[in-house]
Every structure is written in C-alpha cells, then in structure tokens.
Amino acid sequence: MQSQTLNVQPPQSPPGKGLHLLRALRAVVGREIHKFLRQPARLASALVRPLLWFVVFATGFQNVFGVSIIPPYETYIEYKVYMLPGLLGMIALFNGMQSSLSLVYDREMGLMRLLLTAPLNRAWLLAFKLLAGTSLSVLQMVVFLGVAWVLWVDVAPLHALLALPAMVLAAVLMAAMGLVLSVYVRQLENFAGAMNFVIFPMFFISSALYPLWKFEEAGAGWLYQLALLNPFTQAVETMRFALQGQTYATGWLVGVLGTLFFFALAVRGYDPQRGWMRQRGAA
C-alpha cells in the first residue's frame, strides 16, 4: 500500500497591525468620501452659504466696514479680501458640526456600535473619523478658494498654496470639536439646537467678518477678550496670515493644542467605562 502525500498548507499569519489600520482607514474615510462624491448637490449646498455671505456682505458692507492697516495687511484692502479667511473658516466650522451629525445618525442606526466593537482601538477609529471630516472640509475650502479667485478676489497663487496647511489645521480643529459635540448630543432631534448653540456664537464672536478692534471701539471689551479666547478666531487668523504669506504662531499653537485637547475629550467620551456607551449599557 503506497503512502499518499498530503499537501498541507501552513496556517497563514494574521495581517500585521499596519495593514489592519490601513484597511480600517480605507473603510472609514473611503465611506465618507464615497458618500460625498455620490452627492454632488451636497458640495453645491455647502458652497451656497459662504457664497451668499460673500456676495451680500461684500457688496452691502463694502463701504461700512473700514478695515484699517492691521497685521497681516500692509495696506488698505477690499472688504471681500478680509472676508475670505472667515468664510473659509465658516466652511470648516459647519462641516465639522455636520460630520458630528453623521456620528449621531450612525449611533442611532446602530452602525456606530458595530464600528466601536471592531477589534481596533477606539482612538484609531475616532482618528479616522476625524481624518474623514477634515478631508471633506479641505476639499470644500479649496473649491471655494477657487471660486473666490474667479470672483476677482486678490489671492496670490503661491500664498494660496502655502495656506493649505493652515486650512487643514482649521478643518481638523473644527472636526475635533464636532467629535466632542457628538459625545453629548444623543438624539438627532436635539442636534439642530446644539449646533446653533455652538456655531453662531463661535462665528459671530470672532474676527471672521470684522476685525477685533471693532469690539474695543464699540466699548465691548468683554466681547473682545471672548473673541481672543475663541479657537475659531485663532483658526481664521492663521489662514488670514497664511494667505498673506505670513505665519501666525499663536494660531498654530492654539490649533494643535486645541485639536489634541478636543480629540482626547472625544476618546474619553466614547470610552465604554466612562462615556455614553456606559450610560447606554454597552459592553
């Protein structure tokens, strides 16, 4: 009786951690980008808001808001030039809050629970969500910057390219704030009120539409100090300086530290031993 040789394949080793993270990155970020690209009306609607503000305010308030020669500007500028960084910040702010809305929706539909029970550290999953929201914000900001250039806003191409890292910083900061908001807003019905409570104070108590010395000139010193403490102000000023080919060190410091702080709060909030998952009785 002849012996038969069995061709036994050795067990395959599981994929390495780097490959596992890459697959998770592609799944989370790719899902958000794919949804966005399938909805071209979403890009159009995201640009309508800043474009409307740009056209109406730049036309109606051109001769109302006088912009003094303040850093980073070395001469008098048109109001639409001053508005541009603020409207770029508006895109990052609204999109950051909208990305948190998708998290709340996924939580109600149960998708977020499935995601968080995956064999991967929650910090990585939230980081990928942060990267997805940042990518969508930067894409919309770049498109709006191109539209502003078409509308005869004086932006040097080299300065626009150098401003890209500042735009990424603003987008990731606002997306990190959105992650924190998604921790405490547990129902879609409550999200609109929470967004208004966050978005409008941050936007209007900032240098997005008017220089901060306007607050001091009006005798509202407390608003001036509040605007300085507003992280959105620092994000806008970082982009404002970058679009003039300059660096705003304070804004970069606030942006980096603020992102780390908000991201740490979000990771803590999604911790099953401390955050909303414990309160819901999740494993």
Side-chain angles (χ1 to χ4, degrees):
M1 183 174 181
Q2 296 181 352
S3 60
Q4 296 181 353
T5 303
L6 297 178
N7 188 14
V8 180
Q9 297 290 338
Q12 296 183 355
S13 59
K17 183 178 180 180
L19 182 60
H20 191 44
L21 289 176
L22 184 61
R23 289 176 177 175
L25 172 66
R26 184 177 60 183
V28 176
V29 179
R31 174 176 176 259
E32 295 296 329
I33 295 179
H34 182 63
K35 283 198 310 182
F36 182 80
L37 294 179
R38 285 191 308 167
Q39 303 169 341
R42 184 176 170 186
L43 174 60
S45 62
L47 296 179
V48 165
R49 184 185 302 108
L51 277 175
L52 182 62
W53 283 69
F54 184 78
V55 173
V56 173
F57 273 74
T59 303
F61 291 92
Q62 176 68 39
N63 297 322
V64 176
F65 290 128
V67 180
S68 299
I69 304 177
I70 55 175
Y73 306 112
E74 299 176 355
T75 182
Y76 287 101
I77 58 170
E78 292 182 300
Y79 182 57
K80 59 184 180 181
V81 175
Y82 181 85
M83 281 184 64
L84 180 59
L87 296 181
L88 290 173
M90 173 192 279
I91 294 174
L93 178 61
F94 275 83
N95 197 75
M97 298 302 108
Q98 191 172 12
S99 64
S100 65
L101 172 62
S102 68
L103 283 173
V104 177
Y105 178 81
D106 287 346
R107 183 192 303 166
E108 285 203 347
M109 297 297 105
L111 297 177
M112 195 62 187
R113 290 183 181 275
L114 292 176
L115 195 62
L116 291 175
T117 55
L120 192 65
N121 191 289
R122 286 179 174 82
W124 282 110
L125 293 172
L126 292 177
F128 296 156
K129 278 286 188 180
L130 183 68
L131 180 59
T134 301
S135 302
L136 296 182
S137 294
V138 172
L139 174 62
Q140 297 171 31
M141 294 163 77
V142 169
V143 172
F144 181 76
L145 191 61
V147 172
W149 182 78
V150 172
L151 295 177
W152 304 103
V153 178
D154 187 15
V155 179
L158 179 59
H159 292 170
L161 183 62
L162 294 176
L164 187 59
M167 293 162 59
V168 173
L169 179 68
V172 72
L173 177 61
M174 297 300 107
M177 291 181 59
L179 283 180
V180 176
L181 184 62
S182 70
V183 172
Y184 300 101
V185 180
R186 300 172 188 171
Q187 294 180 340
L188 290 174
E189 293 80 5
N190 302 331
F191 194 83
M195 283 185 63
N196 292 335
F197 183 77
V198 173
I199 288 178
F200 289 107
M202 289 190 66
F203 181 71
F204 286 108
I205 308 177
S206 73
S207 60
L209 299 179
Y210 28 74
L212 295 184
W213 62 263
K214 287 286 186 180
F215 289 131
E216 287 190 312
E217 186 182 56
W222 65 276
L223 272 179
Y224 174 79
Q225 296 298 329
L226 194 59
L228 288 178
L229 295 174
N230 185 356
F232 181 72
T233 297
Q234 302 302 324
V236 170
E237 290 301 306
T238 304
M239 291 187 290
R240 192 185 309 282
F241 275 74
L243 287 172
Q244 298 298 315
Q246 302 178 36
T247 301
Y248 183 56
T250 302
W252 277 98
L253 181 63
V254 171
V256 172
L257 294 181
T259 299
L260 295 176
F261 175 72
F262 291 129
F263 182 74
L265 286 181
V267 172
R268 179 183 175 88
Y270 279 96
D271 189 334
Q273 302 301 322
R274 298 172 179 173
W276 68 270
M277 293 188 69
R278 180 184 180 183
Q279 297 171 5
R280 291 292 183 89

